[in-house]
Amino acid sequence: MDFNTLLQQAQRLTNETQDSEELPRVERTISQVLEATEELHSRVTQTGAQDIQAHILLGSKGIDLPKLTQKLESLNTQKTFEPLDPIADTDIQSFLKNEKENAILSIIEEVHKSSNEAAQRRRWENIKAEWRQEKINILNSLVGPSQNWVDLQKVPEQSILLENSSMRSNLNRTEMAYAREVFEYNSIIIKGGCRPNLVQIFAKVAGSFEDQKVNEIWEIMKYMVNVSAISRTRDPIQSRLQIHQFVDQAKKYLENRYKLYMTTIISGNLREAQRGGVPSTFNLVSSFVGLTFNQGNWIGLQDATIEGKPLWPMVYYCLRCGDLPSALRCMQLGGAGHEDFVQVLEDKINKPEQKINSKLEGQLKLHYCNKIKNSTDPYKKAVYCIIAGCDVNEQHSEVAKTTDDFLWIQLSILRSDVSADNTEVLTYSGLQTTILEKYGETYFNANEQRHLYFQVLALTGQFEAAIEFLARTEQYRTHAVHIALALNEMCLIAGPRNVQEPLLSVDIEDPIPMRRLNMARLVMLYAKKFEITDPAEALQYFFFLRNLKDPEGCNLFLVCVRDLAIECRSYDMLFGTMQPNGIVSGGLFEKFECVDFDTRKAASMVAQELVRKGMFEDAIALFDIGGLQGQVIRYICVMLSQVVQEVSKKGSLRERLAIKAAEFSNRIRGSHVDCDGQMLHTFNLLNDLVTFFDYYHEQNYQIALEILSKTKLVPMSMNDLDECINNFRRLSGEICKVFPDILLATMDILFTQYKTIKNKESNMLDSTRDNQLHHLRQSAKAITNMAATVPYRMPGDTNKRLIQTEIMMH
């Protein structure tokens, strides 16, 4: 193409442009067009690149962005939640409008707030439940003292056991032997009999185990509980610190044990011992000292001799055997020079309940400090310290060769009723602190000698720490639990303020170094091993917790029964079964029937917990046992309304609920029922609907319609429509929920009857046949009218199906 041709085309286009009236004529030179193009390009590249891209993207999808922008800008949201304008008092219309808007806004705000609070509450409940379960799992995996706070509230995993399965008991021979005695003891307590001494009973059982260390443990406890009865209204720790019999009993045990040791030594060396005369502690000590000391090992011993034996060893071993008269005899045979010492011994013998004369005791202490402390005779030093209670830091290692000796000396020199600033006197709490905190488990090699460390703790009155230490190992845990049970029944165990505390805890108000033992946790951890396989034995142990409360104030025994029932799901075994005459028979809990506990209360607690977990079917049976008829009816209605329209199958939920409902209905017929009238009416209607749907699914349509007509729920003609609508307004939500299925089932029955009459060849008159068909059509019309009229939101296809069926009947 040449330039002439281009010029002609340009002129033609110019002429066409000049003839157009739609666009104004614009005359620009080439330079002006170039300048405008560059300006437009710079503007687009600097500020409008994204807008251009948005226009291009949305334009490709058929969206007009400028028009959409105009629509968005035209929206006005200012009046949605803005404050209402003030109005005059006489402007009724504006006042009502404002009140309406205020009501709407308040409802929106309230719903928003309540929804937010409910979501937060459920979130925290879920978090707490997860943490609680995790803490329980951690605690159950540990036996030692926990430093965490763990709720006693268990969240058991549901498990269903096969009916024909037989579980083997998890109780071993030792545990079973103790469990039999626990059962006998609880039976006596429930019957109101005299409370036996559990320590004596358990010690007798332990004697059959042929374990010397276990026998020694129970022997210690027999000595330590042989004190005056402890008041059940006082704190056990305060009572223990104020009753000096615990110290006397500990000394008596150590003294008798040493006397037995002496006898054993002499029996093995009868010829060298040359024991003779009347059997007595003095002769026993004399023979023992004769075996222990000879002329070659008298180095350092001082003062006179008695029948050829050193004086102070004779006195010490008489005291070590707990025989003060024999010690006094030794001093009298030892000659003069010890008048003050003799006087103190005589006072101890003649006035054991009175405090030693402070003047005489002071003179002995002074004499000890001046002359005896640096003596070479270790027995003389030990005797003076024991009688005068001085030099509490002296270990007497040459005399106290065993732990028993050391502990006996410490118990002998301690004093009570001393001033707080007197550091030269050993107190009971001071000895306890020394044993538990200063020396501790390491000093006594407790891991290798558990029975020894238990002995030291128990003999110093620290029962809680001793039991907790013994319960850490599988070997001694069973014995520790039963020691705790026995002492707790005698009010000798101090429990924590809250059952959620660790197994062993410290109360800031208690004197140092006393501990508190969580009996609830100890018993529950012990019973957890066998509570599924041996629930009867577990209940016996839970009964010991009957005087404790959980954080919500519920009886801990009943709480444990509740958790056990939910975990093993053997409700009939625990609470028995309801007979047709309304009497509950059987059940393990029946053995605990007394003034404070009964099966009805326990079953009701379990039922309420089952409801909280959503296990309504199990809760129904337990509410029935608990005598809460209103709750039985309520939850039968809740569950039955969800399955009443289904086909009844063998073993299905519907069949089980229908049987329960029928049995309960027959039992309460003719008697007063403690239940809301509306709920009872709903229960009766659901029973009728169960029968209606049973006949409907069996295709016994005529009987089904007769049952339905008695309920006055569905109109059989247009004349019944108003009455049925009025009845519907008084129905509960359980019946309304199943109402669409009732209408569909009724319409299906009518349509089936319609087809049967229409297709049946018979000799009936046409008029009779037409009347029957007309009646069925009228009934169908009444049903569709009711479905459209009742104040209830039907499912989406219900009205459609009803109308289609009605149309098919014309």
Side-chain angles (χ1 to χ4, degrees):
M1 183 179 292
D2 55 5
F3 286 104
N4 293 327
T5 305
L6 289 175
L7 178 59
Q8 292 175 0
Q9 291 180 356
Q11 290 177 349
R12 186 169 58 252
L13 289 173
T14 301
N15 295 331
E16 292 177 356
T17 304
Q18 292 176 352
D19 295 337
S20 177
E21 298 179 354
E22 296 179 357
L23 297 175
R25 181 176 179 80
V26 178
E27 293 183 357
R28 289 190 181 185
T29 63
I30 297 300
S31 59
Q32 291 175 336
V33 172
L34 178 61
E35 183 180 354
T37 303
E38 291 177 351
E39 181 182 356
L40 178 61
H41 179 266
S42 62
R43 189 190 313 158
V44 169
T45 54
Q46 291 178 3
T47 61
Q50 295 181 354
D51 292 342
I52 295 299
Q53 292 176 2
H55 278 275
I56 295 173
L57 176 62
L58 295 176
S60 64
K61 301 298 182 181
I63 299 174
D64 190 349
L65 185 58
K67 186 180 295 185
L68 181 62
T69 304
Q70 293 176 0
K71 289 182 179 179
L72 291 175
E73 290 177 351
S74 64
L75 292 178
N76 186 5
T77 60
Q78 295 180 356
K79 295 184 179 181
T80 305
F81 292 103
E82 67 180 1
L84 300 177
D85 297 330
I87 59 175
D89 295 337
T90 57
D91 192 349
I92 304 298
Q93 184 176 2
S94 299
F95 173 77
L96 293 177
K97 179 181 178 182
N98 283 358
E99 288 297 316
K100 178 181 177 181
E101 292 180 357
N102 277 329
I104 295 173
L105 292 175
S106 63
I107 291 174
I108 294 174
E109 181 63 23
E110 183 179 353
V111 171
H112 173 74
K113 183 178 179 181
S114 62
S115 300
N116 186 45
E117 291 177 353
Q120 289 291 336
R121 184 169 59 254
R122 287 182 176 272
R123 173 174 171 268
W124 280 111
E125 286 178 356
N126 185 48
I127 292 175
K128 289 179 180 179
E130 292 177 356
W131 276 104
R132 186 185 303 117
Q133 182 63 42
E134 187 65 24
K135 290 177 182 179
I136 291 173
N137 293 338
I138 294 173
L139 179 66
N140 292 340
S141 65
L142 301 174
V143 183
S146 171
Q147 300 302 321
N148 296 323
W149 289 66
V150 184
D151 290 342
L152 293 178
Q153 186 62 38
K154 299 186 291 184
V155 185
E157 295 182 1
Q158 299 181 12
S159 59
I160 302 178
L161 303 177
L162 297 178
E163 295 180 357
N164 57 353
S165 65
S166 58
M167 292 182 296
R168 183 178 179 180
S169 173
N170 283 338
L171 291 171
N172 57 34
R173 183 179 70 90
T174 301
E175 294 165 341
M176 187 61 74
Y178 278 126
R180 284 193 292 267
E181 298 301 329
V182 167
F183 173 79
E184 296 295 335
Y185 176 81
N186 285 338
S187 298
I188 296 174
I189 297 300
I190 293 171
K191 295 176 182 177
C194 182
R195 191 184 299 267
N197 189 324
L198 261 184
V199 173
Q200 297 289 344
I201 295 174
F202 288 154
K204 184 178 179 180
V205 174
S208 63
F209 302 149
E210 298 179 357
D211 189 328
Q212 184 61 32
K213 294 179 180 179
V214 173
N215 290 337
E216 289 178 4
I217 288 173
W218 280 108
E219 190 67 20
I220 291 172
M221 300 318 302
K222 287 167 62 177
Y223 272 88
M224 294 304 294
V225 301
N226 189 20
V227 296
S228 302
I230 305 297
S231 173
R232 295 185 175 273
T233 59
R234 296 189 58 187
D235 185 76
I237 287 181
Q238 299 300 327
S239 300
R240 197 183 312 159
L241 294 177
Q242 294 175 6
I243 297 178
H244 306 300
Q245 291 176 326
F246 289 103
V247 176
D248 297 336
Q249 289 300 115
K251 290 176 59 180
K252 184 182 293 186
Y253 168 79
L254 294 171
E255 291 161 357
N256 292 341
R257 182 180 171 89
Y258 200 78
K259 192 184 296 184
L260 180 62
Y261 165 74
M262 283 185 173
T263 304
T264 304
I265 295 297
I266 292 173
S267 298
N269 302 274
L270 290 176
R271 180 177 297 179
E272 293 82 358
Q274 299 179 358
R275 185 176 182 182
V278 180
S280 64
T281 302
F282 180 84
N283 291 332
L284 177 67
V285 171
S286 178
S287 300
F288 180 77
V289 172
L291 283 173
T292 307
F293 295 92
N294 53 49
Q295 295 295 333
N297 59 0
W298 280 31
I299 300 174
L301 301 182
Q302 299 177 348
D303 296 336
T305 60
I306 304 173
E307 299 177 355
K309 300 176 180 65
L311 171 63
W312 293 110
M314 285 287 295
V315 176
Y316 170 77
Y317 285 115
C318 285
L319 294 175
R320 184 68 178 84
C321 292
D323 194 336
L324 290 178
S326 296
L328 178 61
R329 179 183 175 185
C330 292
M331 293 302 301
Q332 290 172 343
L333 294 174
H338 308 289
E339 289 76 11
D340 291 342
F341 196 94
V342 172
Q343 183 61 45
V344 172
L345 283 177
E346 290 178 347
D347 290 346
K348 282 179 171 289
I349 295 171
N350 299 326
K351 304 173 183 178
E353 301 298 330
Q354 295 184 10
K355 188 179 178 180
I356 302 175
N357 188 306
S358 58
K359 182 178 180 181
L360 286 175
E361 192 174 52
Q363 290 174 356
L364 285 181
K365 290 181 179 180
L366 182 62
H367 183 64
Y368 174 85
C369 293
N370 292 336
K371 297 182 178 181
I372 309 300
K373 186 173 185 178
N374 297 321
S375 172
T376 58
D377 191 339
Y379 290 93
K380 186 175 184 180
K381 292 167 59 177
V383 168
Y384 265 87
C385 288
I386 291 169
I387 298 301
C390 56
D391 201 3
V392 296
N393 296 320
E394 175 62 42
Q395 298 295 318
H396 303 286
S397 56
E398 297 180 31
V399 176
K401 294 181 171 40
T402 65
T403 302
D404 284 7
D405 294 335
F406 163 77
L407 186 58
W408 178 81
I409 292 176
Q410 296 296 310
L411 290 170
S412 299
I413 66 177
L414 65 83
R415 296 292 184 268
S416 60
D417 301 329
V418 296
S419 58
D421 57 348
N422 191 349
T423 58
E424 297 298 326
V425 176
L426 179 64
T427 62
Y428 199 25
S429 61
L431 175 60
Q432 292 171 336
T433 304
T434 300
I435 297 297
L436 183 62
E437 297 183 353
K438 181 179 178 180
Y439 291 151
E441 299 177 20
T442 304
Y443 179 84
F444 292 99
N445 192 19
N447 290 331
E448 301 296 331
Q449 305 180 79
R450 291 190 170 274
H451 69 288
L452 176 63
Y453 189 56
F454 170 85
Q455 169 185 325
V456 174
L457 292 174
L459 291 174
T460 53
Q462 302 180 85
F463 301 141
E464 294 81 8
I467 292 170
E468 185 275 332
F469 170 76
L470 205 63
R472 296 183 198 172
T473 57
E474 185 69 28
Q475 180 183 2
Y476 292 109
R477 185 174 304 130
T478 302
H479 309 292
V481 170
H482 290 86
I483 291 173
L485 292 176
L487 297 187
N488 187 63
E489 289 296 292
M490 303 178 71
C491 298
L492 292 176
I493 291 293
R497 301 177 187 273
N498 192 325
V499 295
Q500 290 181 318
E501 291 194 16
L503 187 59
L504 195 68
S505 60
V506 179
D507 194 313
I508 59 175
E509 296 185 4
D510 291 338
I512 297 174
M514 299 308 295
R515 304 290 194 265
R516 290 185 176 267
L517 182 69
N518 193 336
M519 279 294 301
R521 190 177 299 285
L522 181 67
V523 172
M524 294 173 70
L525 285 174
Y526 176 71
K528 190 172 184 62
K529 171 185 175 182
F530 56 85
E531 62 182 5
I532 300 298
T533 59
D534 304 89
E537 284 72 19
L539 287 179
Q540 298 292 337
Y541 283 94
F542 292 150
F543 186 68
F544 284 94
L545 308 179
R546 62 192 178 277
N547 297 321
L548 300 177
K549 303 287 185 182
D550 73 347
E552 286 74 30
C554 298
N555 187 281
L556 200 55
F557 170 52
L558 295 180
V559 171
C560 292
V561 172
R562 179 194 69 191
D563 294 340
L564 174 61
I566 294 174
E567 188 162 349
C568 69
R569 301 190 68 180
S570 300
Y571 309 117
D572 293 345
M573 179 182 63
L574 289 175
F575 302 110
T577 56
M578 178 65 71
Q579 301 300 319
N581 57 1
I583 299 176
V584 180
S585 64
L588 296 175
F589 196 83
E590 187 178 19
K591 299 176 182 178
F592 300 95
E593 292 279 357
C594 59
V595 177
D596 299 324
F597 308 108
D598 58 68
T599 303
R600 293 163 62 96
K601 183 177 181 181
S604 299
M605 281 190 63
V606 178
Q608 291 170 359
E609 183 65 17
L610 289 174
V611 168
R612 194 182 70 83
K613 293 178 176 292
M615 303 165 67
F616 294 150
E617 185 180 0
D618 293 337
I620 291 171
L622 292 176
F623 275 131
D624 195 10
I625 294 175
L628 300 179
Q629 297 177 335
Q631 298 294 338
V632 175
I633 293 175
R634 176 185 177 187
Y635 290 106
I636 286 180
C637 293
V638 169
M639 296 195 68
L640 195 56
S641 64
Q642 303 177 38
V643 296
V644 66
Q645 74 279 4
E646 297 177 359
V647 179
S648 181
K649 297 180 181 179
K650 185 67 175 178
S652 64
L653 174 62
R654 184 188 185 279
E655 183 187 49
R656 298 196 303 270
L657 290 173
I659 293 174
K660 287 182 179 180
E663 291 177 351
F664 187 76
S665 179
N666 293 332
R667 192 170 354 116
I668 65 174
R669 183 176 289 114
S671 60
H672 174 72
V673 180
D674 185 13
C675 176
D676 179 64
Q678 175 71 16
M679 188 61 67
L680 183 59
H681 177 65
T682 301
F683 175 72
N684 293 328
L685 278 179
L686 284 172
N687 275 326
D688 292 336
L689 290 177
V690 168
T691 309
F692 164 74
F693 279 106
D694 284 340
Y695 283 117
Y696 166 69
H697 293 302
E698 294 172 3
Q699 297 184 357
N700 293 329
Y701 296 140
Q702 190 59 39
I703 301 177
L705 286 179
E706 292 176 1
I707 294 173
L708 186 63
S709 63
K710 295 178 182 179
T711 63
K712 302 295 182 182
L713 293 177
V714 178
M716 293 294 104
S717 66
M718 294 298 295
N719 296 329
D720 300 333
L721 183 60
D722 293 337
E723 180 184 2
C724 292
I725 292 175
N726 292 331
N727 292 337
F728 182 87
R729 292 191 175 95
R730 293 191 293 268
L731 295 178
S732 63
E734 288 78 11
I735 302 297
C736 293
K737 185 187 303 182
V738 77
F739 198 75
D741 297 287
I742 299 173
L743 294 179
L744 290 172
T746 308
M747 183 65 82
D748 184 55
I749 292 174
L750 296 177
F751 182 65
T752 303
Q753 291 180 339
Y754 179 86
K755 289 191 301 181
T756 302
I757 295 174
K758 194 171 184 65
N759 299 330
K760 186 176 181 180
E761 296 181 0
S762 63
N763 297 325
M764 71 171 60
L765 297 176
D766 292 341
S767 60
T768 304
R769 182 180 177 213
D770 291 341
N771 289 337
Q772 291 179 349
L773 295 176
H774 177 73
H775 175 72
L776 292 176
R777 285 193 289 267
Q778 290 298 311
S779 299
K781 181 180 179 181
I783 290 175
T784 54
N785 286 346
M786 184 169 185
T789 307
V790 292
Y792 183 75
R793 189 167 187 174
M794 298 283 180
D797 63 339
T798 300
N799 288 322
K800 178 181 177 181
R801 292 171 59 186
L802 292 174
I803 294 173
Q804 287 177 347
T805 306
E806 183 191 2
I807 293 173
M808 293 170 64
M809 295 173 66
H810 285 80

